[in-house]
Amino acid sequence: MTTTEEMVRRDLSVLWHPCTQMKDHESWPPIPIRSGSGVWLEDFDGRRYIDAISSWWVNLLGHCQPDISAAIRDQLEQLEHVILAGFSHEPVVRLSEQLVRITPAGLSRCFYADNGSAAVEIAIKMSFHYWRNQGHPEKTRLMNLSNSYHGETLGALAAGDVALYKDTYAPLLRQPVTAPSPDAFSGEPGETAAELAARRADELDALLEEHAHEVCALILEPLVQCAGSMRMYHPLYLRRAREACDRHGVHLIADEIAVGFGRTGTLFACEQAGIRPDFLCLGKGLTGGFLPLSAVLCTEEIYAAFYDDYQNLRAFLHSHSYTGNPLACAAANATLDVLERERVIEANQERIRWMGEATRELRDHPHVADVRQTGMILAIEMVRDRSNREPYPWTERRGQQVYRHALSQGCLLRPLGDVIYFMPPYVINREEIATLARVAGEGIDLATRDRGDRRRG
Ligand code: PMP
């Protein structure tokens, strides 16, 4: 039987892993996984891990969920793939009908790609192109929020604002106009999330006033800036942003790639503000975490601006080889069927409560500045000094110590810097949530002991 050791040796001789300093693997090798079931992953030595982060936020209903597996198997017997230009197939038509039905009213057209970054770039290109087709070629810039994240390809990276990923490539990127994030953690002492949201919305309005003539769209992650350390904000900001975009003639692109499909407690985060964006980007959980697929939904008005005689050159000539792949669409249809049939979003309300309760004690930890939660996303911000929220120097990599401790205890809790978070599949039970909370607490205790203590320990 293949051993972990052998797998690691083969892996490290040929792979270059994503988002990784490969030298770290000299002291901490990658963990080869042989199988998955529900929230659990199992390695080649039979050790099991709770996937608390849904494998980069993609898994919704557990690993190897049987309905999704069966749907992919059935589709495999029929048609694996076909070009989507000039051709069509049932899974993509059905998925589009479903997405139009379940997303905010007024989004009526679906365009597909195979990853989130591509979806973001499609929305940006469509917005720019819409204004160009409408006689406004001067609207060439994007507006974004500080601390936002929209992907890694050059266009998507330019749309985001997380320095760790972006700064190195700055010479390759077009700069957006950046409005300050409504992140509730960044508020003044005593300021409520709603007050901060209102203040930031005023600032956004002023910035739009100044730049609307050159800006095609505002892009944002509704309610939670996930890769930006799971910072959260009040829905009021979305309502105000929608109004401001309308007032200033700027599109609103909602990037729900990470927060869509129930992560924030509602099927889509935009619902909590009662808004409809002009573009909605979906990805990750769309296929339940089985296959790569992303989608951009837009309004009929936007679609109509491209609809013309070919000779007028207004068409959106964008394509990816695997656009609307039937296997991925079958997985997505099965995922949406299970979400609806089993009333998963409603059932999650209990899990949301359990997550809050299990982490209550951590709120008083001397090195925890904030325990925040929006629906099925819960984040714990570890700091050196909670009185002034002074962070640890990033070079100390304290979050990494929590990660390592959690792995030793059978939990995959990959932090974002010093922010430990849970974003689990929707099949996690109360006991597993309690385990995550206990292990996170122990990890934070270990990682925040000062050097002298650690030598003694
Ligand atoms: N937008 C958001 C909000 C994301 O969180 C991510 C991925 N973490 C992306 C876009 C990019 O998606 P992908 O990794 O599939 O390109």
Side-chain angles (χ1 to χ4, degrees):
M1 211 159 68
T2 314
T3 62
T4 294
E5 207 178 326
E6 187 186 339
M7 277 296 298
V8 168
R9 184 185 53 73
R10 285 171 56 198
D11 176 299
L12 290 180
S13 64
V14 286
L15 262 95
W16 188 342
H17 286 270
C19 203
T20 298
Q21 169 48 265
M22 290 298 289
K23 191 166 189 287
D24 281 353
H25 284 322
E26 285 180 11
S27 58
W28 197 259
I31 300 171
I33 292 299
R34 184 162 44 198
S35 63
S37 175
V39 292
W40 293 94
L41 296 167
E42 187 171 326
D43 72 13
F44 277 69
D45 293 332
R47 269 191 302 266
R48 296 188 347 130
Y49 307 87
I50 299 176
D51 187 354
I53 58 153
S54 299
S55 284
W56 263 342
W57 322 337
V58 299
N59 191 291
L60 287 190
L61 299 165
H63 290 277
C64 291
Q65 202 282 346
D67 301 278
I68 307 173
S69 299
I72 296 170
R73 263 198 305 274
D74 287 350
Q75 184 57 40
L76 259 180
E77 304 291 326
Q78 286 280 320
L79 174 70
E80 83 303 336
H81 186 68
V82 64
I83 177 173
L84 197 64
F87 286 77
S88 189
H89 53 84
E90 206 271 339
V92 79
V93 174
R94 174 147 185 262
L95 177 58
S96 308
E97 289 166 351
Q98 297 225 67
L99 290 176
V100 166
R101 180 173 58 81
I102 65 177
T103 54
L107 295 170
S108 58
R109 295 281 163 181
C110 302
F111 195 100
Y112 292 93
D114 43 30
N115 65 78
S117 305
V120 164
E121 300 210 6
I122 286 164
I124 295 168
K125 282 177 70 177
M126 276 183 178
S127 174
F128 161 76
H129 199 162
Y130 167 93
W131 291 114
R132 187 174 185 276
N133 283 352
Q134 300 292 80
H136 290 288
E138 71 284 0
K139 285 165 89 73
T140 60
R141 293 187 77 186
L142 198 63
M143 192 177 284
N144 69 355
L145 301 185
S146 59
N147 190 46
S148 59
Y149 179 90
H150 299 288
E152 295 295 339
T153 55
L154 294 180
L157 193 61
D161 185 54
V162 177
L164 179 64
Y165 309 124
K166 188 171 179 179
D167 281 3
T168 308
Y169 308 100
L172 305 181
L173 307 175
R174 279 198 91 215
Q175 271 309 313
V177 180
T178 300
S181 169
D183 158 26
F185 188 69
S186 69
E188 298 294 329
E191 193 175 32
T192 67
E195 285 162 357
L196 177 71
R199 182 156 67 85
R200 292 299 187 222
D202 290 341
E203 290 162 348
L204 173 70
D205 200 46
L207 215 54
L208 278 167
E209 175 82 43
E210 189 185 339
H211 291 282
H213 64 281
E214 54 169 346
V215 166
C216 57
L218 165 68
I219 185 167
L220 48 73
E221 299 155 272
L223 299 187
V224 187
Q225 296 188 308
C226 293
S229 301
M230 297 292 169
R231 294 292 177 87
M232 300 174 182
Y233 61 89
H234 196 280
L236 170 75
Y237 185 82
L238 291 177
R239 245 185 341 266
R240 293 276 313 270
R242 173 71 278 179
E243 287 162 12
C245 284
D246 285 342
R247 208 165 33 250
H248 295 290
V250 165
H251 287 141
L252 179 62
I253 303 174
D255 175 354
E256 293 221 19
I257 289 161
V259 297
F261 302 107
R263 291 294 184 197
T264 66
T266 46
L267 189 56
F268 297 103
C270 282
E271 292 170 25
Q272 295 186 38
I275 62 154
R276 189 219 64 208
D278 300 292
F279 298 91
L280 176 66
C281 299
L282 302 174
K284 292 192 185 277
L286 176 57
T287 63
F290 275 61
L291 287 166
L293 182 70
S294 61
V296 178
L297 279 89
C298 72
T299 61
E300 205 63 17
E301 193 218 333
I302 287 163
Y303 175 74
F306 294 78
Y307 197 89
D308 201 353
D309 294 331
Y310 185 80
Q311 288 74 3
N312 291 335
L313 292 176
R314 290 157 76 97
F316 189 60
L317 301 181
H318 181 109
S319 64
H320 295 287
S321 314
Y322 282 99
T323 299
N325 173 259
L327 296 171
C329 289
N333 283 323
T335 302
L336 297 181
D337 288 347
V338 175
L339 283 177
E340 206 157 288
R341 190 178 64 234
E342 298 181 9
R343 299 180 164 276
V344 175
I345 305 301
E346 289 92 322
N348 276 351
Q349 300 313 314
E350 199 168 40
R351 295 190 177 90
I352 290 167
R353 212 176 50 246
W354 293 337
M355 282 165 60
E357 284 166 9
T359 50
R360 188 148 297 148
E361 268 179 31
L362 280 171
R363 289 170 197 271
D364 302 323
H365 193 285
H367 292 287
V368 169
D370 194 25
V371 177
R372 49 184 174 265
Q373 182 177 15
T374 300
M376 289 294 291
I377 309 173
L378 186 139
I380 306 156
E381 182 121 5
M382 195 166 65
V383 290
R384 171 138 77 189
D385 185 346
R386 73 181 262 147
S387 68
N388 60 7
R389 297 182 163 183
E390 181 197 348
Y392 284 109
W394 65 269
T395 48
E396 293 180 3
R397 303 183 77 186
R398 306 240 176 184
Q400 195 70 4
Q401 294 172 34
V402 180
Y403 175 59
R404 292 183 181 200
H405 171 75
L407 285 176
S408 77
Q409 300 300 306
C411 299
L412 166 45
L413 273 174
R414 185 186 161 98
L416 292 155
D418 288 346
V419 174
I420 323 301
Y421 69 92
F422 310 155
M423 193 160 164
Y426 306 156
V427 289
I428 194 161
N429 65 32
R430 192 172 195 169
E431 195 185 331
E432 290 154 351
I433 288 171
T435 302
L436 291 181
R438 175 179 54 77
V439 169
E442 289 166 6
I444 292 168
D445 283 343
L446 282 171
T448 56
R449 280 195 213 163
D450 69 27
R451 290 222 167 88
D453 287 348
R454 247 184 296 140
R455 252 200 310 275
R456 280 196 299 277

